Amino acid sequence: MAAGFFISKSVAIVAVVLGLGAAATIIALSVVYAQEKNKATDLGTTNPSTSTTTATTASIAPTTTAAHDVWDKWRLPTTLMPEFYEVTLQPFLTPDANNMYIFKGNSSVVFVCMEATDLILIHSKNLNYTLQGSFHASLQAVGGSSVPPITRTWLQPTTQYLVVQLGSPLQQGQRYRLFSIFTGELADDLAGFYRSEYVDESGTKVVATTQMQAADARKAFPCFDEPAMKANFTVTLIHPSDHEAISNMPIRSTQQQQIDGNTWNITEFETTPRMSTYLLAFIVSQFTYMHNTSEDVLIRIWGRPAAITEGQGEYALQVTGPILNFFERHYNTAYPLPKSDQVGLPDFNAGAMENWGLVTYRENSLLFDAAYSSISNKERVVTVIAHELAHQWFGNLVTLRWWNDLWLNEGFASYVEYLGADSAEPSWNIKDLMVLNEVYTVMATDSLTTSHPLSFSEDEINTPAEISEVFDSIAYSKGASVLRMLSDFLSEDVFKEGLQSYLHTFAYGNTVYTDLWVHLEQAVQRNGLQLPGTISDIMDRWTLQMGFPLVTVNTLNGSVSQNHFLLDRSSVVERPSVFNYTWIVPITWMTPENPGERQWLTSVSETKPEFKVSSPNWLLLNLNVSGYFRVNYNQENWDQLLNQLSTDHEAIPVINRAQIIDDAFNLARAHYVDVTLALNTTRFLSREIQYMPWQAALNNLAYFKLMFDRSEVFGVMTKYIQQQVTPLFIHYKAATSNWTTTPSGLMDQYSEINAISTACSYGIAECQDLARDYFQQWQQNTSRNPIPPNLRSSIYCSIVAMGGEEAWDFIWDRFKEAPVVSEADKLRTALTCSPLPWILNRYLQYTLDSSKIRKQDATSTINSIASNVVGQPLAWDFIRGNWRKIFTQYGGGSFSFSRLISSVTQRFSTEFELQQLEQFKADNQDIGFGSGTRALEQALERTRTNINWVNENQQKVLAWFQGETGSSSPANQISS
């Protein structure tokens, strides 16, 4: 799954149990189940709007049986293993008499008894069952042998089980079939089998679609809903004849049938390969598609008909084939399925989901329109497609046994998405962006004591909320970073050799992360590669302990040492590590003369004669930031590096220019170097036009902005940034002929965007005038937007920031009519740039109204408001005042809570704010924080760190900015 903003809610299913649909339909679909269905008390022969009730009040679980605690455990017992499911579902795309959208279904699962037991536990959530006799399900033996009688069935809502108690044990080695008939709500909660909507010229259209990961297949049909419980699936969908039905596999057969006077299609799909429940998918919609083939694999890009007609799927179609071919070569394994469907959904929780053969996306991660979409939208599309297609092998063909090893699944896809995207767009140098997007982004979290290791023990992750919490930046970005480091020191060829062996060995099966280490170690041995330890020796230190090392080198004597890097050096690490927070560190390096041979730091401190360098030479460690660590130098070497940047910055590789800035700022935050040294690394930027060093500086100065934009420091800081960015602004004004043309390369376009966004947001008059001119032109002709797509995010924000209520209303109107979701996203985010508190408060209220802001976008909108200095206290008050409502509406398992808590607290830097945060934690202990629990602890830790940092550095930072700008008074007095 591609990372995104995750929103979900728990919706209570009404007590009424609705019939399954016309008996004729069931008979036509499920002849094999005639025996079970004859036992059913009600097969449902009525229209859903007039369905009668079949009592399915759940029995209370018995309290005296010895097996009492089995159904109170979150993990399934291993007594039963599923082999084959047949699932029939009928979604109703119009509301019933209770104004609810529902689906009806029946399913059977054939399982083998691995160990004699008189209990069947199968996952079920928010499903209402049509009783068969007195029971929620019926059971028969496969192969004609005797079957134990069912004595009781009941639903266990807390642990989400349907429990079937038998009169005698199932026999080991025997196969059985469990059959059930059920109804569920086709809710708009973005989980399980759910409802998405969009509006076209003929009105509102309803889509029935799925999101099963991590634990929501059980909302669609009863199943053994754990990743190791792989099985084959045959899906049948009953759907209106003017709708298309798609699933993981191609269609096997379609027939039409009249049910209650309406024409329905009964579409059966080919049986899937052996796979996990979380990868199952099916969609009923009026979407259309564009298609091509790549080496006999059918590729289809699906979406709203208007979007497909306008060609918004063309870019995705263009890159999918090359990316599939790349991964076939990379894995040395053919794509395992006959087709690859990719669907852009109007309402979707994550960025995308790797369902095998039917990948689902947010529209902004699949659809692209050159007239509206920016280069970053294009990059988003190609990297998310590459991420999801990488999973078709790594994750789908070979699947991790349990969610504690999620990091390997998502970290791997987050690494190779850059390789796949690079194969489709080789001129972009996109692999370089990993350093900014993954490595440095996640280090901010991984330098806290409240971080966590990549891999958990299996018993640490049990509940759906705990599973959701694992889908964090550590799993995705740190996972990607350490795998990139591993590939670098092994060489890509050796890494691929081990990877291919792993995939071939475990195809259609399940693994733990150490299985990959074994196959990589075999590749190391075959190639005679010399390493300071086994793969397991080296990598377990990076996966089983949290954090990362700071490597400190002294060029006067060549000494080099390591220690656990923490932003707050006084904080106490409570999580123990068997490795005592030391790592085996691969160190690449160079001097002005040449790059040296990779060195290894295998103990706390060593002496490396190669690292002894005398003035005026300098030493640079961690070339291209291939290693997951930070670097500190003795003052003499820092001085030489700064001197090199001031005289000829291009003598240092571009990624390492970004590294010098990022390491220095983080070392300053952790009190390893003085804050003025970090600020000194930004002096050369007035001569720098490359994207990566500028972005590293802006990322770090953003922390200064958060800490100081409510103090006098910000005025003179603004003056300094204006001073530094003006040459970049002038460069791109000339290079683009006054903003009328677009630079060619990806990095060049990103650098132009930085020039505009920084100049406008820091008040450079010429940039703000440009925004006003664009706004006036647009107002005169709303059908013609004069702003180049790359510049829209920045210019829209400036328009809203400067234009008051009139501009806000204008942008809101454009948002409501935006024809492309990437355009709507830019407009929606720009609306958070207003400096007017009443407008921002009103906008916060809109996030609770899905007719104004889609549920999938609610938390990202709140986060954007919180990033506005005026909006931050409003967003904090809003979250505190509405936490109970938000939490119950979106559900404790929602992936978005961690981002929400991080965003609204990111400016906290006073004792009063710390007290408020602690009070918030105390006030809401009764309902809790779900997947945001760890984020809340991290927010408390960050706030304490921020308080200390501001107290120690505010006056020093003020003096430095004053010295650089020749100011003796705050710069907020200057006109802009």
Side-chain angles (χ1 to χ4, degrees), residues 3 74 116 185 551 583 587 608 681 689 700 715 744 760 775 812-813 839 913-914 918:
W74 288 95
E185 184 184 0
V551 173
W583 289 263
I587 302 176
K608 305 279 188 187
T681 66
I689 61 168
N700 284 286
S744 57
C760 278
F775 183 36
W812 175 254
D813 289 341
I839 282 181
E913 287 166 330
L914 178 60
E918 288 170 334

Short mmCIF file of all heavy atoms in Angstrom, two decimals, residues 3 74 116 185 551 583 587 608 681 689 700 715 744 760 775 812-813 839 913-914 918:
data_model
loop_
_atom_site.label_atom_id
_atom_site.label_comp_id
_atom_site.label_asym_id
_atom_site.label_seq_id
_atom_site.Cartn_x
_atom_site.Cartn_y
_atom_site.Cartn_z
N ALA A 3 1.78 4.98 0.86
CA ALA A 3 1.41 5.82 1.97
C ALA A 3 0.46 6.92 1.54
O ALA A 3 0.52 7.41 0.43
CB ALA A 3 2.66 6.44 2.58
N TRP A 74 -6.84 -12.30 19.83
CA TRP A 74 -6.95 -11.63 18.53
C TRP A 74 -6.40 -12.48 17.39
O TRP A 74 -6.75 -12.26 16.24
CB TRP A 74 -6.21 -10.29 18.58
CG TRP A 74 -6.93 -9.27 19.39
CD1 TRP A 74 -6.73 -8.95 20.71
CD2 TRP A 74 -8.00 -8.43 18.95
NE1 TRP A 74 -7.59 -7.97 21.11
CE2 TRP A 74 -8.39 -7.62 20.05
CE3 TRP A 74 -8.67 -8.27 17.74
CZ2 TRP A 74 -9.41 -6.67 19.98
CZ3 TRP A 74 -9.68 -7.32 17.66
CH2 TRP A 74 -10.05 -6.54 18.77
N ALA A 116 -7.16 -31.78 15.66
CA ALA A 116 -8.54 -32.02 16.08
C ALA A 116 -9.03 -30.90 17.00
O ALA A 116 -8.33 -30.48 17.92
CB ALA A 116 -8.64 -33.36 16.80
N GLU A 185 -23.54 -3.64 5.47
CA GLU A 185 -23.77 -2.27 5.00
C GLU A 185 -22.68 -1.88 4.01
O GLU A 185 -21.49 -2.06 4.28
CB GLU A 185 -23.78 -1.28 6.17
CG GLU A 185 -24.11 0.14 5.69
CD GLU A 185 -24.04 1.19 6.78
OE1 GLU A 185 -23.74 0.84 7.93
OE2 GLU A 185 -24.27 2.37 6.45
N VAL A 551 28.01 9.06 13.18
CA VAL A 551 29.42 8.71 12.99
C VAL A 551 30.23 10.00 13.11
O VAL A 551 29.98 10.97 12.37
CB VAL A 551 29.64 8.04 11.62
CG1 VAL A 551 31.12 7.84 11.36
CG2 VAL A 551 28.90 6.71 11.57
N TRP A 583 26.09 -0.20 15.82
CA TRP A 583 25.78 -0.72 14.50
C TRP A 583 27.06 -1.12 13.78
O TRP A 583 28.17 -0.71 14.15
CB TRP A 583 25.07 0.36 13.67
CG TRP A 583 23.67 0.67 14.10
CD1 TRP A 583 22.51 0.18 13.57
CD2 TRP A 583 23.25 1.56 15.16
NE1 TRP A 583 21.40 0.70 14.22
CE2 TRP A 583 21.83 1.56 15.20
CE3 TRP A 583 23.93 2.37 16.07
CZ2 TRP A 583 21.10 2.31 16.11
CZ3 TRP A 583 23.20 3.12 16.99
CH2 TRP A 583 21.80 3.09 17.00
N ILE A 587 30.89 2.72 5.46
CA ILE A 587 31.24 4.14 5.29
C ILE A 587 31.93 4.35 3.94
O ILE A 587 33.04 3.86 3.71
CB ILE A 587 32.16 4.64 6.42
CG1 ILE A 587 31.49 4.43 7.79
CG2 ILE A 587 32.51 6.11 6.21
CD1 ILE A 587 32.37 4.81 8.97
N LYS A 608 41.10 5.10 11.60
CA LYS A 608 41.25 4.80 10.18
C LYS A 608 42.29 5.77 9.62
O LYS A 608 42.00 6.97 9.47
CB LYS A 608 39.93 4.98 9.43
CG LYS A 608 38.75 4.19 9.99
CD LYS A 608 38.76 2.76 9.52
CE LYS A 608 37.47 2.04 9.94
NZ LYS A 608 37.55 0.59 9.63
N THR A 681 25.97 26.89 6.89
CA THR A 681 25.91 26.00 5.71
C THR A 681 24.93 26.52 4.66
O THR A 681 24.91 26.00 3.55
CB THR A 681 25.50 24.56 6.11
OG1 THR A 681 24.15 24.56 6.60
CG2 THR A 681 26.44 23.97 7.14
N ILE A 689 21.80 26.71 -7.55
CA ILE A 689 20.53 26.60 -8.28
C ILE A 689 19.99 25.17 -8.28
O ILE A 689 18.89 24.93 -8.78
CB ILE A 689 20.65 27.10 -9.74
CG1 ILE A 689 21.68 26.26 -10.52
CG2 ILE A 689 20.98 28.59 -9.79
CD1 ILE A 689 21.64 26.52 -12.02
N ASN A 700 14.92 22.33 6.70
CA ASN A 700 15.45 22.62 8.03
C ASN A 700 15.08 24.01 8.51
O ASN A 700 14.80 24.21 9.70
CB ASN A 700 16.96 22.42 8.04
CG ASN A 700 17.34 20.96 8.06
OD1 ASN A 700 17.22 20.29 9.09
ND2 ASN A 700 17.75 20.42 6.92
N GLY A 715 11.00 37.97 11.76
CA GLY A 715 11.14 39.13 10.88
C GLY A 715 12.50 39.18 10.21
O GLY A 715 12.61 39.32 8.99
N SER A 744 13.32 21.82 -18.40
CA SER A 744 13.15 20.48 -18.97
C SER A 744 13.21 19.37 -17.92
O SER A 744 12.36 18.49 -17.88
CB SER A 744 14.19 20.23 -20.06
OG SER A 744 15.50 20.41 -19.53
N CYS A 760 7.45 33.90 -2.82
CA CYS A 760 6.11 34.39 -2.50
C CYS A 760 5.80 34.27 -1.02
O CYS A 760 5.28 35.20 -0.40
CB CYS A 760 5.06 33.64 -3.33
SG CYS A 760 4.86 34.27 -5.01
N PHE A 775 -4.06 36.32 -10.61
CA PHE A 775 -5.41 36.29 -10.03
C PHE A 775 -6.36 37.20 -10.82
O PHE A 775 -7.48 36.81 -11.16
CB PHE A 775 -5.34 36.72 -8.57
CG PHE A 775 -6.66 36.65 -7.84
CD1 PHE A 775 -7.59 35.66 -8.11
CD2 PHE A 775 -6.98 37.60 -6.87
CE1 PHE A 775 -8.81 35.59 -7.43
CE2 PHE A 775 -8.19 37.55 -6.19
CZ PHE A 775 -9.10 36.54 -6.48
N TRP A 812 -12.53 28.73 -3.55
CA TRP A 812 -13.51 27.70 -3.14
C TRP A 812 -14.42 27.33 -4.31
O TRP A 812 -14.69 26.13 -4.53
CB TRP A 812 -14.33 28.22 -1.96
CG TRP A 812 -15.43 27.29 -1.53
CD1 TRP A 812 -16.76 27.45 -1.73
CD2 TRP A 812 -15.30 26.04 -0.82
NE1 TRP A 812 -17.48 26.40 -1.20
CE2 TRP A 812 -16.62 25.51 -0.64
CE3 TRP A 812 -14.23 25.32 -0.34
CZ2 TRP A 812 -16.85 24.30 0.01
CZ3 TRP A 812 -14.47 24.10 0.32
CH2 TRP A 812 -15.76 23.61 0.48
N ASP A 813 -14.88 28.32 -5.05
CA ASP A 813 -15.73 28.03 -6.22
C ASP A 813 -14.96 27.21 -7.26
O ASP A 813 -15.52 26.30 -7.88
CB ASP A 813 -16.23 29.34 -6.85
CG ASP A 813 -17.27 30.04 -5.98
OD1 ASP A 813 -17.87 29.37 -5.12
OD2 ASP A 813 -17.47 31.26 -6.17
N ILE A 839 -12.34 32.53 8.81
CA ILE A 839 -12.39 31.69 7.61
C ILE A 839 -11.80 30.32 7.90
O ILE A 839 -12.35 29.28 7.51
CB ILE A 839 -11.64 32.38 6.44
CG1 ILE A 839 -12.52 33.49 5.84
CG2 ILE A 839 -11.24 31.37 5.37
CD1 ILE A 839 -11.90 34.21 4.66
N GLU A 913 2.11 24.97 26.34
CA GLU A 913 1.66 24.03 25.30
C GLU A 913 1.91 22.59 25.73
O GLU A 913 1.10 21.70 25.45
CB GLU A 913 2.35 24.35 23.98
CG GLU A 913 1.80 25.62 23.34
CD GLU A 913 2.68 26.17 22.22
OE1 GLU A 913 3.91 25.97 22.25
OE2 GLU A 913 2.12 26.83 21.32
N LEU A 914 3.01 22.35 26.43
CA LEU A 914 3.29 21.00 26.93
C LEU A 914 2.21 20.59 27.95
O LEU A 914 1.71 19.46 27.91
CB LEU A 914 4.67 20.95 27.59
CG LEU A 914 5.07 19.61 28.21
CD1 LEU A 914 5.10 18.50 27.16
CD2 LEU A 914 6.43 19.73 28.90
N GLU A 918 -0.33 17.40 27.67
CA GLU A 918 -0.47 16.40 28.73
C GLU A 918 -1.92 16.32 29.21
O GLU A 918 -2.43 15.23 29.51
CB GLU A 918 0.48 16.75 29.88
CG GLU A 918 1.94 16.50 29.54
CD GLU A 918 2.92 17.06 30.57
OE1 GLU A 918 2.54 18.04 31.28
OE2 GLU A 918 4.04 16.54 30.65
#
